[in-house]
């Protein structure tokens, strides 16, 4: 009788091959998810997971360029002695802005131009001092007596020039749905910060049209967004029954929220005393319009808009109370980014599983 060998060669059945392939695929998916988690965790930390920046100095101090140590905010005397104006780079209703130089560093010097608006200027300075964080342009010094403010210089300028910047050869690689969505997340992070600031709930009032909104923010060289102009930032205090009105003139157009428009029709002349006040949800109404600009028209941006459709519809609710908070919008934006990065990293995985 023939003896059977102790070790017989075994052939894998198709089902076993399929099981092994599936197991390997799951391992790959888990590894990619882990990498994605670490990437997004690092990204969110840099974007606003915390409001303070490890690179920021103690209150009343700043660090500029490659400097290792923090310096105290420059005083009137130091500004007059050490800061040299180079050229005027802008002028608004409240102040004139000069590109300047301090100890071989480019800086921005802002000076009041209309004495009737000095209260707005000083309010902007007060906000700038109190809100120093990763979301706000860095304050370097000020002189209240001369109505002068010194801030960090950002060569890419305001968000108004975003599309032009992205056509420069050096920055063309940033012109993707991914980087544009990160800018939109940055923008909503600023709104969230203002709505839950150390001072309370602040409303971004200099925002009656898209161009005006974009002019309030700076684009940094590493493609982040900072709020720059804080002259019109009133405080909402619901517990004290304090709401706000953005100026004393009638606001028109679809960009401003419905509650910011004159509610009594064309037949009743506008009167500021009769205009009802409102709260921070006016900022939420404007988020879809600003994000639409930031997303641009690049490959993949329409897919991003599709994923943001529902939250943007919520932002455009006529009743302010039905609109989401800035935190809820931010959470949705982050979830969409996570989803789209995962799908880009693992195309077809769902079908394979």
């Amino acid at each position: 009788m023939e003896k059977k060998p102790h070790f017989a060669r075994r052939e894998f059945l198709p089902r076993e091959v399929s099981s092994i392939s599936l197991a390997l695929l799951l391992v790959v998916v888990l590894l990619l998810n882990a990498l994605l988690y670490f990437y997004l965790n690092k990204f969110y930390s840099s974007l606003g997971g915390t409001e303070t920046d490890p690179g920021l100095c103690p209150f009343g101090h700043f660090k500029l360029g490659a400097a290792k140590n923090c310096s105290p905010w420059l005083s009137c005397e130091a500004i007059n002695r050490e800061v040299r104006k180079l050229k005027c780079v802008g002028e608004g209703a409240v102040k004139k802005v000069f590109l300047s130089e301090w100890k071989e560093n480019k800086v921005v010097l802002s000076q009041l131009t209309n004495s009737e608006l000095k209260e707005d200027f000083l309010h902007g300075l007060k906000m700038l001092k109190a809100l120093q964080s990763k979301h706000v342009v860095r304050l370097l010094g000020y002189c209240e007596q001369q109505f002068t403010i010194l801030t960090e210089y950002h060569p890419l300028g305001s968000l108004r020039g975003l599309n032009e910047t992205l056509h420069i050869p050096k920055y063309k690689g940033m012109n993707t749905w991914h980087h544009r969505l990160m800018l939109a997340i940055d923008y909503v992070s600023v709104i969230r910060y203002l709505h839950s600031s150390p001072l309370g709930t602040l409303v971004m009032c200099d925002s009656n049209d898209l161009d005006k909104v974009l002019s309030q923010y700076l684009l940094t060289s590493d493609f982040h967004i900072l709020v720059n102009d804080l002259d019109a930032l009133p405080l909402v205090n619901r517990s004290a029954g304090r709401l706000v009105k953005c100026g004393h003139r009638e606001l028109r157009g679809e960009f401003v929220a419905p509650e910011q428009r004159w509610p009594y029709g064309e037949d009743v002349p506008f009167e500021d005393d009769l205009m009802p006040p409102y709260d921070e949800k006016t900022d939420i109404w404007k988020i879809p319009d600003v994000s639409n600009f930031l997303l641009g028209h690049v490959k993949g941006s329409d897919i991003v808009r599709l994923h943001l459709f529902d939250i943007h519809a919520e932002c455009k609710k006529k009743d302010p109370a039905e609109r989401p908070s800035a935190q809820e919008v931010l959470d949705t934006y982050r979830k969409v980014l996570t989803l789209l990065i995962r799908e880009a990293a693992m195309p077809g995985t769902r079908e394979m599983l």
Side-chain angles (χ1 to χ4, degrees):
M1 187 173 176
E2 187 179 344
K3 262 187 167 184
K4 288 184 180 179
H6 291 292
F7 301 101
R9 181 170 178 177
R10 187 180 173 202
E11 293 185 3
F12 288 109
L13 297 174
R15 183 178 295 175
E16 291 174 307
V17 173
S18 176
S19 298
I20 291 174
S21 299
L22 183 60
L24 289 172
L25 178 60
L26 286 171
V27 169
V28 171
V29 169
L30 289 171
L31 286 172
L32 285 171
N33 271 308
L35 290 171
L36 182 63
Y37 169 80
F38 286 118
Y39 165 76
L40 290 172
N41 190 51
K42 183 178 178 183
F43 166 67
Y44 291 148
S45 296
S46 70
L47 255 189
T50 57
E51 305 304 348
T52 56
D53 185 341
L56 286 177
C57 297
F59 183 80
H61 295 73
F62 71 92
K63 189 163 56 176
L64 196 60
K68 293 182 179 180
N69 300 319
C70 295
S71 303
W73 286 338
L74 300 186
S75 62
C76 296
E77 182 185 357
I79 290 174
N80 291 332
R81 185 180 66 249
E82 301 172 12
V83 176
R84 182 170 65 94
K85 289 182 187 176
L86 299 178
K87 63 177 180 178
C88 179
V89 292
E91 184 173 2
V94 178
K95 54 186 176 283
K96 186 177 285 190
V97 180
F98 296 90
L99 174 63
S100 305
E101 191 175 55
W102 175 73
K103 294 187 176 180
E104 300 182 352
N105 292 291
K106 294 281 176 50
V107 293
V108 173
L109 188 72
S110 302
Q111 292 184 317
L112 178 69
T113 54
N114 185 346
S115 59
E116 294 179 1
L117 297 175
K118 63 182 180 182
E119 293 303 319
D120 291 343
F121 185 90
L122 292 175
H123 177 75
L125 173 58
K126 177 185 174 183
M127 295 293 105
L128 196 54
K129 289 193 288 185
L131 298 176
Q132 284 294 289
S133 70
K134 62 165 61 181
H135 303 295
V136 179
V137 70
R138 189 168 297 165
L139 178 63
L140 309 180
Y142 62 92
C143 180
E144 286 193 36
Q145 298 93 312
Q146 298 173 10
F147 297 99
T148 299
I149 300 173
L150 193 70
T151 54
E152 189 174 15
Y153 171 63
H154 293 279
L156 296 183
S158 81
L159 270 184
R160 282 188 298 192
L162 173 64
N163 290 325
E164 289 76 11
T165 296
L166 289 171
H167 281 100
I168 298 172
K170 180 180 178 181
Y171 297 108
K172 277 188 175 180
M174 308 293 281
N175 196 17
T176 64
W177 70 262
H178 176 233
H179 287 99
R180 283 178 171 270
L181 177 54
M182 288 198 293
L183 286 178
I185 290 174
D186 247 4
Y187 166 70
V188 178
S189 296
V190 174
I191 298 299
R192 189 277 310 267
Y193 175 64
L194 294 178
H195 287 185
S196 56
S197 82
L199 300 177
T201 302
L202 300 167
V203 182
M204 195 68 179
C205 263
D206 257 346
S207 56
N208 297 336
D209 58 63
L210 179 61
D211 194 62
K212 186 64 174 174
V213 171
L214 298 174
S215 71
Q216 310 301 304
Y217 296 88
L218 294 171
L219 180 64
T220 68
S221 297
D222 59 350
F223 267 67
H224 283 283
I225 290 176
L226 298 173
V227 63
N228 180 50
D229 196 330
L230 304 174
D231 295 345
L233 210 60
L235 179 70
V236 168
N237 188 338
R238 282 193 187 82
S239 59
R242 184 193 302 165
L243 299 177
V244 304
K245 287 192 285 189
C246 291
H248 304 286
R249 292 179 292 182
E250 183 177 1
L251 301 178
R252 296 175 178 268
E254 292 299 314
F255 187 81
V256 296
E259 64 271 22
Q260 292 184 281
R261 302 172 210 153
W262 179 243
Y264 303 117
E266 296 285 342
D267 296 333
V268 181
F270 177 81
E271 285 188 43
D272 184 42
D273 291 340
L274 297 179
M275 180 66 198
Y278 34 83
D279 62 17
E280 77 281 2
K281 291 298 183 76
T282 58
D283 289 334
I284 304 299
W285 171 273
K286 298 160 189 173
I287 285 175
D289 299 284
V290 178
S291 289
N292 187 53
F293 169 82
L294 295 174
L295 290 173
H297 298 282
V298 296
K299 183 180 179 182
S301 62
D302 286 342
I303 300 297
V304 178
R305 286 185 178 89
L306 185 63
H307 281 82
L308 296 176
F309 180 85
D310 288 342
I311 191 66
H312 283 173
E314 296 284 318
C315 292
K316 290 295 187 179
K317 289 284 183 70
K318 188 172 182 180
D319 182 355
E322 294 181 4
R323 294 175 207 152
S325 67
Q327 183 65 61
E328 289 170 325
V329 178
L330 181 59
D331 290 342
T332 301
Y333 273 42
R334 287 174 168 175
K335 286 175 185 174
V336 168
L337 176 64
T338 302
L339 173 67
L340 292 177
I341 289 178
R342 182 181 289 124
E343 289 184 351
M346 299 175 286
T349 300
R350 188 179 302 164
E351 289 77 8
M352 292 170 70
L353 289 172

